[in-house]
Amino acid sequence: MLLIDCPFCGKRNESEFVYGGPAMPARPADPSALDDAHWVDHLTVPPNPMGPVEERWWHLRGCGSWLTIRRDTVTHAIAEVRHGG
Ligand SMILES: [Zn+2]
């Protein structure tokens, strides 16, 4: 269970939040250069790296803010929480 330190509400259980996906996934520099299979992968397969990632979380059962969280997917340690994107 994650404990997310909302900048407005303080430390809260992740059950108060809704996962919003990866923050700003990298877009190919030249999408027209990709073949169909790679383009479909980019649009439909979310990245799932081991290590640090940036994610969007919505504090639905709290202040209603969208937060960006830098979290390690291996240890679940949260290094940074900031408001917005
Ligand atoms: Zn909050």
Side-chain angles (χ1 to χ4, degrees):
M1 187 69 64
L2 294 176
L3 199 57
I4 298 173
D5 192 5
C6 175
F8 304 105
C9 307
K11 292 187 178 184
R12 300 298 174 100
N13 192 302
E14 74 174 275
S15 64
E16 293 187 8
F17 295 81
V18 174
Y19 177 71
M24 296 184 292
R27 185 176 174 87
D30 182 9
S32 63
L34 297 179
D35 62 28
D36 290 346
H38 286 94
W39 185 240
V40 169
D41 281 352
H42 171 73
L43 294 175
T44 61
V45 180
N48 190 20
M50 292 179 67
V53 295
E54 286 205 340
E55 304 170 326
R56 303 279 288 150
W57 288 78
W58 179 29
H59 200 178
L60 174 64
R61 294 172 188 90
C63 62
S65 294
W66 277 97
L67 307 175
T68 300
I69 294 173
R70 190 156 34 92
R71 179 177 70 90
D72 190 305
T73 59
V74 176
T75 64
H76 300 292
I78 296 175
E80 179 185 11
V81 178
R82 63 180 188 273
H83 180 248

